[in-house]
Amino acid sequence: MRNGFIGPILVLVLFAFSVVLPAQTGKQPEAVKSLPNLSGTWSHGLGSTAAGIPKDDAGGVPFFGFTKEEPSLQPAAMETYKANRKGLADPGSKGRDEFDPSNSCFPPGPTRIFTLTRPFEIRQTTGVVYILSETDHWVRRIYMDGRGHPDGYPSAWMGHSIGKYDGNTLVVDTADINENTWVDSLGHPHSDSLHLTERFRRVNHDTLEIDVTFDDPKAYTKPWTGKKTYQLQPASYEMKEDMVCDEYRKPGLRNDGFEFIKP
């Protein structure tokens, strides 16, 4: 009677062993292994000039921008850009505070957030790639399931992003971006027609490169490109909490929670 149970028990043990073995040996399906690993927490290498402005990226790209060459703006957008930078002597300095949307507590938008000093984390799943920013704990979702941009999608601060893998590169297409943001921290404006193509690539284990194409015929005379580079942070690095305009709020002044105050 006891011998009758040995066969089924042995089969179950062998099946369990066959399931556990790939995990123990680190083997993964070919489809999983072929995807580029972009996950990690990424940040600029920080350093400041004598004027307190963060040093340029490698190649002389301003820390607050995407390119050394000035993109060609349409006349109305040029007037906006000039106003955003009026009186600023250093071409690498941030745009004027009084015109900065972030100083009015608006979100930075999908590309400007890459020209800020705080780090961001990339997490990859099968259907969605998440970009988690330390800045105001913003989350950006890049849908990887083959969908397109929905018809009639409302304007959003981070836009609507879809992506695919092209070899070792994550290619992201973003549209429907709220026009009340800057594309960088220098003060370059955009319209509601802005369309972004971003290419995320791990140059080596410790370096992430993001190439961006800005296509906005209402604000620029032709598409233009830019690049940013980031360094991998140690596995022990912990993202901090950040809240935009926190210093302008006092609790308990109104029944519904907060009241904005002047600093």
Side-chain angles (χ1 to χ4, degrees):
M1 185 73 174
R2 291 173 63 189
N3 290 342
F5 289 99
I6 293 178
I9 291 174
L10 182 60
V11 171
L12 289 172
V13 169
L14 291 174
F15 175 75
F17 180 75
S18 69
V19 172
V20 172
L21 183 59
Q24 290 178 334
T25 57
K27 293 181 178 178
Q28 296 178 337
E30 288 300 319
V32 174
K33 289 196 296 182
S34 65
L35 296 181
N37 179 13
L38 306 173
S39 296
T41 300
W42 303 92
S43 183
H44 287 285
L46 288 178
S48 298
T49 66
I53 299 170
K55 290 183 178 179
D56 292 348
D57 294 350
V61 175
F63 182 94
F64 290 129
F66 282 92
T67 178
K68 290 188 296 183
E69 284 96 30
E70 192 63 52
S72 179
L73 292 111
Q74 298 284 8
M78 176 60 81
E79 291 304 311
T80 299
Y81 180 59
K82 287 180 177 179
N84 291 342
R85 298 201 57 79
K86 186 177 180 180
L88 299 176
D90 192 324
S93 62
K94 190 182 79 66
R96 293 174 64 96
D97 286 344
E98 61 266 42
F99 299 122
D100 186 344
S102 292
N103 282 9
S104 296
C105 306
F106 291 134
T111 54
R112 185 185 176 184
I113 207 163
F114 293 134
T115 67
L116 302 178
T117 58
R118 291 184 177 271
F120 59 91
E121 180 180 0
I122 295 179
R123 292 189 184 180
Q124 294 166 271
T125 70
T126 303
V128 183
V129 173
Y130 297 92
I131 300 180
L132 313 174
S133 299
E134 189 174 270
T135 300
D136 206 28
H137 41 74
W138 269 97
V139 178
R140 185 177 171 198
R141 296 169 178 83
I142 301 166
Y143 297 102
M144 305 293 295
D145 55 4
R147 74 181 71 183
H149 297 300
D151 292 334
Y153 193 80
S155 171
W157 292 108
M158 287 295 174
H160 184 271
S161 296
I162 53 178
K164 63 180 181 180
Y165 292 108
D166 180 12
N168 66 348
T169 302
L170 169 64
V171 182
V172 181
D173 186 288
T174 303
D176 299 308
I177 305 165
N178 190 304
E179 63 184 320
N180 293 308
T181 63
W182 291 350
V183 299
D184 57 19
S185 293
L186 296 174
H188 286 102
H190 70 88
S191 77
D192 58 359
S193 294
L194 176 63
H195 174 241
L196 302 171
T197 303
E198 299 158 279
R199 300 180 66 87
F200 295 74
R201 183 173 70 96
R202 200 164 185 163
V203 180
N204 55 52
H205 181 268
D206 294 329
T207 306
L208 179 74
E209 189 175 84
I210 306 176
D211 290 283
V212 187
T213 298
F214 302 85
D215 188 0
D216 184 354
K218 290 183 181 179
Y220 297 89
T221 62
K222 59 183 178 179
W224 57 284
T225 60
K227 178 181 296 186
K228 300 300 287 184
T229 304
Y230 306 90
Q231 299 303 310
L232 181 66
Q233 301 305 294
S236 59
Y237 183 89
E238 295 185 2
M239 298 269 281
K240 308 301 188 296
E241 184 178 78
D242 174 61
M243 182 177 176
V244 172
C245 296
D246 187 31
E247 65 271 27
Y248 301 142
R249 305 183 187 202
K250 281 187 177 181
L253 296 181
R254 298 191 323 199
N255 291 333
D256 55 353
F258 295 90
E259 178 178 335
F260 282 96
I261 59 170
K262 292 182 179 181

